[in-house]
Amino acid sequence: DDGVLFLSYYLPPKAPLRGTKMTSPLEQADDGGGLTISSMVKEFQGLKDKFKREDADSPSPFSDLEKATVLQECRVFSDSKVVTESPRKCSQLITKLLHIVTQGDAMSSSEVTEVFFGVTKLFQSSDASLRRMIYFFIKEVAETCNPDDIIIVTSSLTKDMNSKEDLFRANSIRVLAKMIDATMLGAIERYIKQAIVDRNAMVSSSALVAGTHLIRGSPDVVRRWVNEVQEALHSSSDMVQFHALSLLYEIKQHDRLAISKLVTKLTRGTISSPLATCLLIRYITTIVRDSGGNALASATGRAAYQFLELSLRHRSEAVIYEAAKALCNLPGIEERDLGPAVAVLQLFLSSPKSTLRLAAMRALSSVAIAKPSAVIKCNDDMESLIADNNRSIATFAITTLLKTGSESSVDRLMKQISSFMNEIADEFKIVVVTAIRELCLKYPLKHRVLVGFLANFLREEGGFEFKKAIVDAIIALMCVISETKESSLFHLCEFIEDCEFTALSTQILHLVGIVGPTTVAPARYIRFVYNRVILENAAVRAAAITTLAKFAARLPALQASVSVLLRRSLRDEDDEVRDRATVALRLLGENITKDAPGDGEAEGSQRPFRQDALAADSTRDLPLQPEIHLLLEPLPMSFAQLSAALKEFEVAGSREDDALALSLTTLPVVDYTRPSSQSAVPASASLSSSNDSAELYKIPELATLGRVHSSTSPIQLTESETEYVVSCIKHIMSEHVVLEFAITNTISDQLLVDACIVIEQAPDSPQHYDHVASVHAPILRCGATERAWLILRGSPGSTFGAPAHFLAELKFRVVEIDPATGEFEGDEEGFPEDYPLEDIEISTADFVAKADISNFRQAWDSLEKDKEVLQKYSLQFKDMEVAIDAVISCLGMQPEDGTNEIDKSRIGMPHTLHLSGCFAGNLDILARAQLQVEAKLGCILKIAVRSPQLEVSELISDCIN
């Protein structure tokens, strides 16, 4: 922001060209050669190549610089005669110093100080070029120089700030703004305020830019300049207006009313600067977006729309584009209101300037995501841009056409894209693939053309990300368009025949194992899978073994043949492959030792082929093991949750007399991410919720209650500075709620004996839980933390999981002791004492553990519709993101399919939220919510909840109340 340093100014001039005779076009015509376009192009190309060769041959004056030599040469700065008579030489030395600094050759503190002092002596010269180099050097070196040395140069800069030379004044202000801190700002504040209203535009602009830098460290000082900044806003200079508006917004940005008044005043035509107008348009858009709801529903929004529409007729192309983009991004704007903006962007598409074409295409592409019909009239202009030399413009044109094109134009677009795809990079290809997937979802009848197009490029050259984008697109289309399932699966199988990416091969093999057995001719896919066992690396071979096992488990007719193929992998060199083959054969009911190769057989030997045995194998019905579902069903939890659940199962099993068999149904449900419904305890005075259930299983009275379904984060029931610090964790089981309390004694002369927590139903809370038993903390010494427990069970006739509210109190006996010796003082029995605690709330969300599912739609359809509960609520939220976070936190469920993220292109439109969880008793619960933020009504929430039990669905939906 401080100008451009032209190093070429200090380079020696080039020697004139020799041996080149310049002939004018008229002379050529007189010679009879004739003037043609080709001859002119050849002439200019020859000159261009000659200049290039000479530039390449000229050595750089900075190529062999040595720091020690340059520092030695810089000692001439102390010679006043050299400074005043040879400013060009001093400028060249400073340029060399800057080159050394920018190349990373660090100088020691003493070297920096020495050079810094030498440069300050150059202020004796009045040469403008040298003075600019001085300013530049001071700015670069000041950050690494000793702060005490800065004070010395400040006086010289302050003197320049009062100079009659405008160049010196402007640059010295900018340098000082980078150097000084809040303590030194008061000394020069008066000069900067005067410079802001200076008649010279360069000086005024420099002072405003300095204010923009200084407001970050000294906001209170800069806010006192508001009158001067407002006066500069009416300057005749475009640049001064731009900097003044920027600084004025920085000063008032925390006062929303002041910003609104400022914007309203400026929209009346008091600004002439195009840059300032662009800035004003951005501020207007921010104000309208923050107001929420439909942009044209309020008076502020309508005024903003009128100003933006008026700005579309501005003389500056930058203002026109900024206004058009702002109109397209207004929240809740209707399609008919986009007409003026789209018309202007359409004119930009035929502009000779590539920047305008690119900007217009980018804006139209974002509009086409939410309102494709508004951009249809630009299709002819966009088709002409497919052949644009700028590949970014061509990519935007194609992806936008794919969003706005009709079904009849799909074939023509695919032909145009085919030649285009080979000319662009992978990052642009991924964008095109995403657009093709969206087009296929829009026109499912064209799936053969579109999927075939994607499959063709699977066989072309490309990187991993590009191939993965195609594979993901084909799989997504298979899930939505059932007609494309078999053809797409065959394309993917052909792709893995020559796939170099292990991750894609294993992903496709997993898909083949799921979808292949359900096709019309599943046997034809076994060839592709078994080829992977023969030809691929260990990871792909292991995935292929699992896929073959799925075919055998689901298709009894193929079981015998597949078992023969699996047996060939029992002698594989990789442990994982052998183990998977062994497990698969056992689950299929095969006797592995019966037909396994003996130790005496050579590894490559084969047993005689018996045709009668194969015929018998093909007709026998092999008994499948009950655990075969492990192959056919996805894992119901993540690997991290499985690891934690196994640890908890091991701890719990050691405390139970009748240990349960290890299975997925007997594992406790582990929830890592659910936030607590109350304030969390500081780490120093809380329990560790990751090890809470392990502590529970150590208590004999609690270990027999069963598995822990979920545990909340620690809740603080006292202040951290009080005499007794108490926190609580709620453990949810299938039929019980266990409250675990961590009690800390902070009084050195007291010993707490037989401490326990007593709870009482709050007057306004219904009776949903009964107190069954409690476990006391026997002794609490100073600084020690002990645990006490309360066991609750659901009351008869009430629904387990209903919310409850309890009053809590800590009861104990106090025994006075000597803090130094620990001996008793007075009565050893002590005296009873009680201490009030914060209320304890049990919410329905405490009974919910977050559970990730792979396919929300399939899981939703699997739950019965008659167990669904529909509710509609009005929430007091003005921001969609805040409303989404509040709903997720209130229900305690896991967002699925990335629905917790807001699509910026759909701001102002309804947002759909998918949630999943597991209720106590291992009951799956799913919720679909739709949120709409409206200016007058706030946030409207429509929610549908499904679970195996209607009572549970009602509990979850009532959480919003």
Side-chain angles (χ1 to χ4, degrees):
D1 58 353
D2 298 293
V4 179
L5 176 64
F6 294 94
L7 297 180
S8 60
Y9 173 76
Y10 304 105
L11 298 182
K14 291 184 174 64
L17 299 177
R18 298 178 180 176
T20 303
K21 179 181 179 182
M22 300 296 294
T23 306
S24 69
L26 291 177
E27 292 174 340
Q28 292 181 3
D30 293 340
D31 293 342
L35 179 63
T36 62
I37 296 296
S38 59
S39 62
M40 291 182 65
V41 169
K42 290 180 180 179
E43 183 70 23
F44 285 125
Q45 187 64 39
L47 290 175
K48 180 180 177 182
D49 295 340
K50 188 173 185 62
F51 279 121
K52 279 186 177 180
R53 287 193 299 270
E54 290 196 356
D55 288 342
D57 296 338
S58 301
S60 171
F62 307 107
S63 57
D64 299 321
L65 286 181
E66 293 184 1
K67 183 177 67 174
T69 304
V70 175
L71 292 176
Q72 181 68 26
E73 293 176 355
C74 288
R75 293 185 177 181
V76 299
F77 293 164
S78 302
D79 189 347
S80 59
K81 183 177 180 180
V82 174
V83 172
T84 55
E85 296 181 0
S86 304
R88 183 182 179 87
K89 179 179 179 181
C90 297
S91 297
Q92 290 177 341
L93 290 175
I94 294 179
T95 305
K96 293 179 180 180
L97 284 174
L98 287 171
H99 179 78
I100 292 174
V101 172
T102 55
Q103 293 301 312
D105 193 356
M107 292 188 289
S108 64
S109 59
S110 59
E111 292 173 341
V112 171
T113 303
E114 180 183 356
V115 174
F116 189 82
F117 273 105
V119 171
T120 57
K121 296 178 181 179
L122 298 177
F123 280 99
Q124 303 174 51
S125 174
S126 58
D127 185 78
S129 299
L130 177 58
R131 188 64 59 90
R132 293 184 67 184
M133 293 298 299
I134 296 172
Y135 295 141
F136 193 23
F137 180 81
I138 292 174
K139 283 181 58 178
E140 291 295 322
V141 182
E143 296 180 357
T144 60
C145 189
N146 191 333
D148 296 334
D149 299 337
I150 299 296
I151 301 175
I152 299 175
V153 78
T154 304
S155 59
S156 299
L157 293 173
T158 305
K159 182 179 178 181
D160 278 0
M161 196 164 50
N162 296 316
S163 172
K164 295 180 181 180
E165 290 287 341
D166 293 334
L167 177 66
F168 295 174
R169 294 165 60 199
N171 284 289
S172 60
I173 290 173
R174 291 195 175 193
V175 175
L176 281 171
K178 294 274 291 200
M179 293 171 52
I180 62 175
D181 53 14
T183 58
M184 301 174 60
L185 179 58
I188 64 170
E189 178 185 3
R190 178 168 59 90
Y191 302 109
I192 297 181
K193 291 173 67 175
Q194 292 175 355
I196 291 176
V197 294
D198 195 272
R199 289 179 299 177
N200 186 278
M202 182 172 58
V203 175
S204 178
S205 181
S206 298
L208 291 168
V209 171
T212 305
H213 289 294
L214 293 171
I215 196 173
R216 299 165 189 167
S218 307
D220 296 333
V221 177
V222 178
R223 288 193 183 103
R224 297 200 295 260
W225 307 348
V226 62
N227 293 330
E228 288 78 7
V229 177
Q230 287 179 339
E231 183 178 347
L233 191 59
H234 301 289
S235 171
S236 58
S237 171
D238 291 348
M239 187 59 67
V240 173
Q241 285 189 4
F242 170 69
H243 287 144
L245 179 58
S246 176
L247 180 56
L248 195 59
Y249 181 82
E250 291 281 346
I251 293 173
K252 298 185 176 183
Q253 63 177 339
H254 300 294
D255 187 349
R256 187 171 181 178
L257 180 60
I259 289 294
S260 299
K261 290 181 179 179
L262 173 65
V263 168
T264 304
K265 179 181 177 181
L266 295 178
T267 52
R268 296 171 185 167
T270 58
I271 287 186
S272 59
S273 168
L275 290 176
T277 306
C278 291
L279 207 57
L280 179 61
I281 290 173
R282 294 188 180 185
Y283 295 156
I284 291 174
T285 307
T286 302
I287 293 173
V288 174
R289 187 180 293 115
D290 292 343
S291 62
N294 192 337
L296 303 182
S298 62
T300 304
R302 289 191 295 272
Y305 179 83
Q306 292 174 359
F307 175 75
L308 294 176
E309 189 177 15
L310 183 64
S311 299
L312 293 175
R313 296 184 286 275
H314 199 276
R315 67 180 187 277
S316 171
E317 293 174 338
V319 175
I320 296 173
Y321 170 72
E322 197 70 36
K325 186 178 71 169
L327 281 172
C328 295
N329 293 331
L330 286 180
I333 190 170
E334 298 293 335
E335 185 175 316
R336 63 177 181 273
D337 299 322
L338 288 174
V342 174
V344 168
L345 294 174
Q346 185 177 8
L347 293 176
F348 283 173
L349 293 180
S350 56
S351 171
K353 300 178 181 178
S354 58
T355 52
L356 281 181
R357 298 198 304 273
L358 176 61
M361 277 309 318
R362 186 188 296 273
L364 290 173
S365 178
S366 62
V367 174
I369 296 175
K371 300 178 178 64
S373 56
V375 192
I376 289 179
K377 62 181 181 181
C378 305
N379 281 3
D380 293 339
D381 298 276
M382 289 189 291
E383 284 193 24
S384 63
L385 294 178
I386 294 179
D388 196 281
N389 294 330
N390 189 312
R391 296 292 85 184
S392 298
I393 298 175
T395 304
F396 273 120
I398 285 178
T399 54
T400 307
L401 284 170
L402 291 175
K403 298 169 188 172
T404 61
S406 61
E407 190 170 5
S408 59
S409 64
V410 171
D411 295 330
R412 185 180 75 257
L413 283 175
M414 290 301 103
K415 291 180 181 178
Q416 291 177 310
I417 295 175
S418 297
S419 58
F420 167 79
M421 289 285 282
N422 295 324
E423 303 174 3
I424 60 176
D426 281 1
E427 56 182 338
F428 296 121
K429 292 180 182 178
I430 294 173
V431 177
V432 175
V433 169
T434 304
I436 292 175
R437 181 184 65 184
E438 298 298 329
L439 183 65
C440 191
L441 294 176
K442 185 178 179 181
Y443 303 119
L445 295 179
K446 290 292 183 179
H447 68 86
R448 292 186 181 277
V449 176
L450 297 174
V451 174
F453 176 85
L454 294 175
N456 288 336
F457 279 95
L458 266 181
R459 294 185 286 271
E460 299 292 336
E461 294 293 330
F464 172 76
E465 295 296 335
F466 173 52
K467 296 297 180 69
K468 180 173 174 54
I470 296 179
V471 171
D472 292 342
I474 293 177
I475 294 175
L477 296 176
M478 290 173 60
C479 298
V480 179
I481 306 173
S482 58
E483 293 83 359
T484 190
K485 182 175 67 173
E486 295 205 22
S487 60
S488 298
L489 192 63
F490 193 76
H491 287 313
L492 294 176
C493 287
E494 288 184 330
F495 167 62
I496 62 174
E497 287 288 300
D498 192 26
C499 177
E500 57 182 322
F501 305 109
T502 300
L504 294 182
S505 296
T506 54
Q507 180 185 1
I508 294 172
L509 287 171
H510 175 70
L511 178 70
V512 173
I514 297 174
V515 181
T518 64
T519 58
V520 178
R524 68 173 181 170
Y525 299 105
I526 294 180
R527 170 177 63 87
F528 296 103
V529 177
Y530 188 67
N531 284 345
R532 311 279 65 74
V533 178
I534 301 174
L535 303 173
E536 293 287 355
N537 56 50
V540 179
R541 295 202 305 273
I545 291 295
T546 302
T547 302
L548 289 174
K550 291 179 180 180
F551 272 86
R554 293 188 177 184
L555 302 170
L558 299 177
Q559 183 176 340
S561 302
V562 173
S563 297
V564 173
L565 300 179
L566 291 174
R567 289 180 180 278
R568 297 179 181 177
S569 298
L570 292 177
R571 300 289 296 274
D572 193 276
E573 61 183 11
D574 185 75
D575 296 343
E576 177 72 15
V577 178
R578 292 197 305 271
D579 292 346
R580 290 200 185 195
T582 303
V583 171
L585 289 170
R586 291 298 297 268
L587 292 177
L588 294 173
E590 293 281 346
N591 186 354
I592 301 176
T593 58
K594 174 182 175 183
D595 298 322
D599 295 336
E601 297 182 33
E603 186 171 348
S605 62
Q606 297 182 359
R607 289 176 297 169
F609 176 78
R610 293 179 54 195
Q611 188 173 2
D612 55 343
L614 182 59
D617 287 343
S618 63
T619 57
R620 66 188 177 97
D621 187 12
L622 298 176
L624 298 178
Q625 298 299 315
E627 294 81 6
I628 194 65
H629 70 275
L630 294 174
L631 283 176
L632 305 180
E633 298 177 3
L635 193 65
M637 62 185 74
S638 66
F639 287 108
Q641 289 176 317
L642 177 62
S643 175
L646 288 172
K647 292 178 181 178
E648 291 195 8
F649 182 88
E650 182 181 6
V651 173
S654 63
R655 301 298 306 174
E656 296 184 2
D657 296 333
D658 299 327
L660 296 176
L662 176 60
S663 66
L664 292 175
T665 57
T666 59
L667 283 177
V669 178
V670 178
D671 179 16
Y672 283 129
T673 56
R674 180 176 52 78
S676 172
S677 58
Q678 301 180 23
S679 60
V681 188
S684 60
S686 67
L687 298 172
S688 176
S689 59
S690 61
N691 298 323
D692 47 18
S693 57
E695 296 293 334
L696 183 148
Y697 291 129
K698 295 178 182 178
I699 310 300
E701 296 89 335
L702 307 178
T704 58
L705 298 179
R707 307 280 180 243
V708 175
H709 170 75
S710 61
S711 300
T712 68
S713 299
I715 310 301
Q716 188 172 9
L717 302 181
T718 63
E719 297 293 336
S720 58
E721 296 84 8
T722 56
E723 303 95 320
Y724 315 110
V725 181
V726 182
S727 59
C728 174
I729 290 179
K730 292 169 279 187
H731 302 283
I732 308 301
M733 300 181 176
S734 58
E735 297 178 356
H736 296 82
V737 177
V738 176
L739 302 179
E740 177 183 357
F741 300 94
I743 309 171
T744 304
N745 175 22
T746 63
I747 302 179
S748 59
D749 59 352
Q750 287 187 1
L751 186 69
L752 307 188
V753 180
D754 197 26
C756 66
I757 308 297
V758 178
I759 62 173
E760 179 183 351
Q761 198 79 32
D764 58 345
S765 177
Q767 182 75 25
H768 289 304
Y769 303 95
D770 297 329
H771 180 202
V772 177
S774 61
V775 178
H776 297 194
I779 297 177
L780 277 92
R781 300 185 181 275
C782 177
T785 299
E786 298 293 340
R787 289 173 171 81
W789 311 79
L790 277 180
I791 305 174
L792 305 179
R793 183 171 54 195
S795 301
S798 64
T799 304
F800 187 71
H805 185 190
F806 296 97
L807 306 178
E809 191 176 40
L810 172 63
K811 290 185 176 293
F812 51 88
R813 286 187 293 111
V814 177
V815 178
E816 296 182 350
I817 61 173
D818 184 355
T821 62
E823 297 179 354
F824 294 104
E825 293 182 351
D827 188 4
E828 294 186 5
E829 293 295 328
F831 56 90
E833 186 66 85
D834 54 64
Y835 189 82
L837 304 175
E838 294 288 339
D839 295 351
I840 298 175
E841 294 183 3
I842 296 179
S843 65
T844 302
D846 296 332
F847 294 78
V848 179
K850 293 183 178 179
D852 293 322
I853 57 177
S854 57
N855 192 326
F856 182 87
R857 184 187 297 272
Q858 181 180 358
W860 178 266
D861 295 336
S862 65
L863 296 175
E864 299 179 12
K865 192 173 182 181
D866 56 355
K867 302 295 192 303
E868 178 181 310
V869 174
L870 291 170
Q871 294 286 354
K872 184 177 181 180
Y873 299 97
S874 178
L875 309 179
Q876 300 302 316
F877 295 107
K878 299 295 184 182
D879 184 81
M880 180 66 76
E881 292 186 4
V882 177
I884 292 173
D885 293 339
V887 171
I888 294 174
S889 177
C890 183
L891 299 180
M893 301 173 70
Q894 171 75 25
E896 297 292 341
D897 304 329
T899 53
N900 57 321
E901 300 291 339
I902 298 178
D903 188 353
K904 299 300 182 182
S905 63
R906 296 177 58 85
I907 294 178
M909 304 178 67
H911 179 82
T912 301
L913 181 65
H914 293 168
L915 300 171
S916 65
C918 182
F919 197 78
N922 288 337
L923 300 177
D924 295 330
I925 48 176
L926 300 176
R928 298 176 67 178
Q930 186 182 72
L931 298 94
Q932 172 72 51
V933 176
E934 299 181 1
K936 296 182 179 179
L937 301 178
C939 180
I940 305 300
L941 170 66
K942 299 177 183 178
I943 185 170
V945 182
R946 287 186 183 181
S947 73
Q949 297 180 9
L950 182 62
E951 297 81 3
V952 174
S953 301
E954 292 174 345
L955 282 176
I956 298 299
S957 63
D958 290 342
C959 286
I960 305 297
N961 287 330

